[in-house]
Amino acid sequence: MDSELSSLSLSDRVVLLGLTSLEAVEETPAHAPAVRTACGDCTDALADAVVGSLDEAAVARGLNVLEVEGPVVRVDDGESSAVGKGRPAFALEEPASEVLSALEDDAALSDAVDVVRERA
């Protein structure tokens, strides 16, 4: 998993951490708006990294990148959007503990990983 993470941008790794935080409290599969909220909660713990806030489009792009790279899977939960289109939901392919272990080696995210572990 470490090799998968090394090719990801910081924002994609934050999205992965946000989804992992939801997985840790059994709130997955999750849609992009829920992941965006979780990302905001995670980035509050990042004192040294300049991440800013991720908008929903950046989170959706990150989720799609993570699906292609492998640590995330798309799940059909049967929900649709207001216009009747499908709303993709996402979950981790690996256990949350493994993803957190891989992310804790990331100097930019290690403090946020500790916060996620405390909440779980």
Side-chain angles (χ1 to χ4, degrees), residues 24-81:
V25 293
E26 300 178 4
E27 294 183 12
T28 56
H31 299 279
V35 176
R36 179 178 182 254
T37 299
C39 289
D41 294 343
C42 291
T43 55
D44 288 344
L46 300 176
D48 296 331
V50 178
V51 177
S53 62
L54 299 173
D55 63 15
E56 193 171 330
V59 171
R61 279 190 302 275
L63 289 167
N64 288 326
V65 167
L66 293 167
E67 180 189 15
V68 169
E69 294 296 321
V72 170
V73 293
R74 187 180 300 245
V75 178
D76 180 11
D77 65 357
E79 286 191 38
S80 62
S81 67

Side-chain angles (χ1 to χ4, degrees), residues 77-100:
D77 65 357
E79 286 191 38
S80 62
S81 67
V83 294
K85 294 182 180 179
R87 290 182 66 196
F90 297 87
L92 293 178
E93 181 85 299
E94 313 264 339
S97 60
E98 288 183 27
V99 177
L100 290 173

